Amino acid sequence: MRKASALTRFFAHGIAVAALLSGCGQTPAATPDSGVASPVQAAAAGAYQARGGYPISLPAGSVYRNPASGRDEVVVPDMRHTALLIGDSQSEPNDGWPRLGLAAIGYKVHFCGLGGTGFVASNGKTGNYIDALQRGDWKLPYGTPALIVIQGGGNDAARGATDAQIVANADRLIGALRDRYPGARMAVIGTLARGANYGGGRRTQVDALLGTVAARHGIPFVGVGDWLSKYNLAKNLADAVHMDAAGRRSLGGLLESRLRQLGLEGPPLDGTVPAATPAATPAG
């Protein structure tokens, strides 16, 4: 009886440990219309490293408990070339136009977010951007990203979020990201829409509102609240708000140009070092 009791305790302990590990680092499943989830985020559900160890040696997608902050973080390779992209269903697909624009200027992309969410909006599976971050619905990467980009606002517009709610949560999110990654470069991409005179409505208003938030924080802003009409891209809408493949490519190219104008290019992916600009010769 003593052996049986010990064996029972052993198996009970094993089940408890397995249950604990299986719940660590899980990422909510994507909705059917939200695109393809990030492979790194998906992999995070199956690998967990508690305190101790060295995160750089862990497989990509492992979830590491950072002893400095006490937070779970995802191990992402080559953070020197990685942009952290927080967004909604415009960004979630692997060929989403924000991803294409970032890739074109030299970044790999680590995506955090889900379709149906925003600064205020949640989708029933995960919270809005700041709530999802704070309660661990998705996890930020270990190490400092080369660039942090926040995109969205469309779901907030669709669900009647007020200006005050959007501004308050945007401020909270920016503050949390700056606390986590002091000194990291940031950018904000607004809400894709038609222009104000072409039926942009609340989406165009939210885009302009996010521009004021970014300016107040000293963050570069890409306003896209008139791009559908300005660049004649409404014809490429697959539904009321999402683009077809050709439209995503066109928007990706436009975003690339705007990010370059803002000086947000990433380090060369081939490992080369850009030539230094010759120093000016002092007058006299």
Side-chain angles (χ1 to χ4, degrees):
M1 293 297 293
R2 183 175 301 171
K3 290 183 178 179
S5 177
L7 188 62
T8 299
R9 289 196 301 271
F10 172 80
F11 280 114
H13 174 73
I15 292 171
V17 171
L20 176 63
L21 294 180
S22 67
C24 295
Q26 288 187 346
T27 305
T31 56
D33 61 348
S34 63
V36 181
S38 162
V40 172
Q41 286 290 77
Y48 179 79
Q49 174 71 28
R51 294 179 184 272
Y54 188 61
I56 303 303
S57 65
L58 297 174
S62 297
V63 178
Y64 173 74
R65 175 65 55 81
N66 189 331
S69 64
R71 297 178 184 273
D72 288 344
E73 299 174 340
V74 178
V75 176
V76 177
D78 196 14
M79 286 297 288
R80 178 174 175 267
H81 296 101
T82 296
L84 167 61
L85 173 61
I86 297 171
D88 55 24
S89 57
Q90 301 286 345
S91 290
E92 190 173 6
N94 286 336
D95 68 339
W97 56 271
R99 294 197 193 216
L100 295 179
L102 288 167
I105 60 169
Y107 292 103
K108 301 174 183 178
V109 176
H110 178 78
F111 176 72
C112 289
L114 278 178
T117 65
F119 294 93
V120 179
S122 61
N123 69 359
K125 295 183 178 181
T126 188
N128 61 52
Y129 296 162
I130 183 61
D131 289 346
L133 168 60
Q134 291 184 334
R135 73 190 189 193
D137 293 353
W138 40 257
K139 296 170 176 62
L140 295 176
Y142 176 83
T144 301
L147 179 67
I148 300 171
V149 177
I150 306 168
Q151 169 274 322
N155 295 302
D156 300 315
R159 298 178 196 179
T162 66
D163 285 7
Q165 289 174 318
I166 295 170
V167 169
N169 278 10
D171 286 342
R172 290 172 60 207
L173 178 62
I174 291 168
L177 292 168
R178 282 183 162 165
D179 285 345
R180 186 77 69 92
Y181 303 115
R185 295 196 301 172
M186 297 182 68
V188 174
I189 300 173
T191 308
L192 182 67
R194 297 173 171 86
N197 296 325
Y198 297 89
R202 182 58 177 159
R203 293 177 68 90
T204 299
Q205 293 172 359
V206 172
D207 179 83
L209 178 66
L210 292 173
T212 66
V213 173
R216 182 162 46 82
H217 285 277
I219 298 173
F221 176 70
V222 180
V224 295
D226 63 351
W227 278 18
L228 291 179
S229 50
K230 182 177 182 179
Y231 298 107
N232 192 30
L233 290 173
K235 65 182 185 300
N236 292 114
L237 284 166
D239 55 30
V241 295
H242 299 98
M243 308 301 291
D244 62 19
R248 293 193 293 273
R249 290 192 297 270
S250 295
L251 286 173
L254 292 167
L255 179 60
E256 173 194 357
S257 297
R258 185 68 183 117
L259 293 172
R260 289 190 187 279
Q261 291 172 2
L262 293 170
L264 294 173
E265 295 94 336
L269 291 175
D270 60 5
T272 60
V273 178
T277 302
T281 302

